Amino acid sequence: MGKVGGDRRAETYDAELGEEVARAQNGDEWAFAAAYRRVHPPLLGYLRGLVGDDAEDVASEAWLEIARDLGRFRGDGAGFRAWTARIARNRAIDHLRRLKSRPRGTLLEQELGELPAGRDTAGEAFETISTERALALIATLPRQQAEAVLLQTVIGLDGAAAARVLGKRPGAVRSATHRGLRRLEKHLATLERSRVTDSDSRALGEAT
């Protein structure tokens, strides 16, 4: 039931976003502002995973391009999220090339719990831990795995859309996501064992 309800919420979210984008393409500035408010927080979170503290500047560049090319976009709400993610990723790559740097592993500001629900099992891997810990764990993954997980848990794309954004085959993205989640699960298991051990040690100390 939770999965079905989540799917419906995601469908409603994308339907409303699609309507806002369509109105914005017809010159409705209020609709564009509404679409921006929906899409910007997770997009900024994704960029923080790529360029760290420079995410605000890169996001500004991305939104300038999004606004400029909005009339060329064709698709629904889910397609708009993928389209904006692809633009943001391209601007992030350009930024990193200018810096001659690699993406920095930094925490993301946008909480996963505030994002549209109903995505696949990628989001479920973090249900039992705090947002801060989840984001910190994602930042420790290899870049390809981290980006595949980020696109699905932060932007909310499905596997096929994430593959299009990354310019990779869906199977490769599924594999990267799977490996990333397996790494996270193992790390979570280790943390849980450590937590239980610490709890038992404190209990024994109090008893003595």
Side-chain angles (χ1 to χ4, degrees):
M1 290 296 292
K3 174 64 174 174
V4 172
D7 287 342
R8 289 174 179 169
R9 287 192 296 272
E11 290 173 1
T12 299
Y13 175 94
D14 280 333
E16 293 173 349
L17 175 59
E19 292 174 358
E20 291 163 354
V21 171
R23 295 201 305 272
Q25 288 178 313
N26 289 324
D28 188 333
E29 295 183 359
W30 287 100
F32 182 81
Y36 171 86
R37 288 193 295 270
R38 285 183 188 272
V39 175
H40 179 68
L43 195 69
L44 182 62
Y46 172 57
L47 286 172
R48 286 192 184 280
L50 297 180
V51 300
D53 293 338
D54 296 331
E56 292 277 4
D57 292 337
V58 175
S60 295
E61 294 179 8
W63 278 106
L64 285 174
E65 183 173 344
I66 291 165
R68 184 193 69 198
D69 295 342
L70 184 63
R72 302 179 186 178
F73 170 73
R74 296 292 181 272
D76 56 10
F80 185 73
R81 288 190 288 113
W83 183 65
T84 56
R86 184 162 56 248
I87 290 174
R89 183 174 188 268
N90 288 339
R91 297 290 70 75
I93 291 173
D94 289 344
H95 177 77
L96 292 168
R97 284 173 177 166
R98 289 195 296 269
L99 294 179
K100 296 181 180 179
S101 177
R102 294 179 62 85
R104 296 186 291 276
T106 56
L107 294 181
L108 311 176
E109 287 190 347
Q110 178 64 28
E111 293 190 358
L112 297 177
E114 295 178 351
L115 302 180
R119 292 179 288 275
D120 55 31
T121 54
E124 296 173 5
F126 311 118
E127 288 183 352
T128 60
I129 62 174
S130 69
T131 297
E132 182 177 352
R133 288 172 64 198
L135 298 176
L137 288 175
I138 295 174
T140 67
L141 295 174
R143 178 182 175 181
Q144 290 186 357
Q145 295 176 19
E147 196 165 1
V149 172
L150 284 168
L151 282 170
Q152 294 180 74
T153 59
V154 177
I155 300 296
L157 304 184
D158 59 25
R164 289 193 294 272
V165 171
L166 295 173
K168 297 182 180 297
R169 295 178 179 177
V173 174
R174 284 196 299 271
S175 178
T177 303
H178 178 72
R179 291 197 302 271
L181 291 175
R182 287 296 299 274
R183 281 174 177 257
L184 294 174
E185 289 169 1
K186 289 179 181 179
H187 196 92
L188 287 173
T190 300
L191 291 175
E192 179 62 19
R193 286 196 297 270
S194 177
R195 185 190 67 78
V196 171
T197 300
D198 291 344
S199 178
D200 291 343
S201 296
R202 287 196 298 272
L204 180 60
E206 293 172 358
T208 57

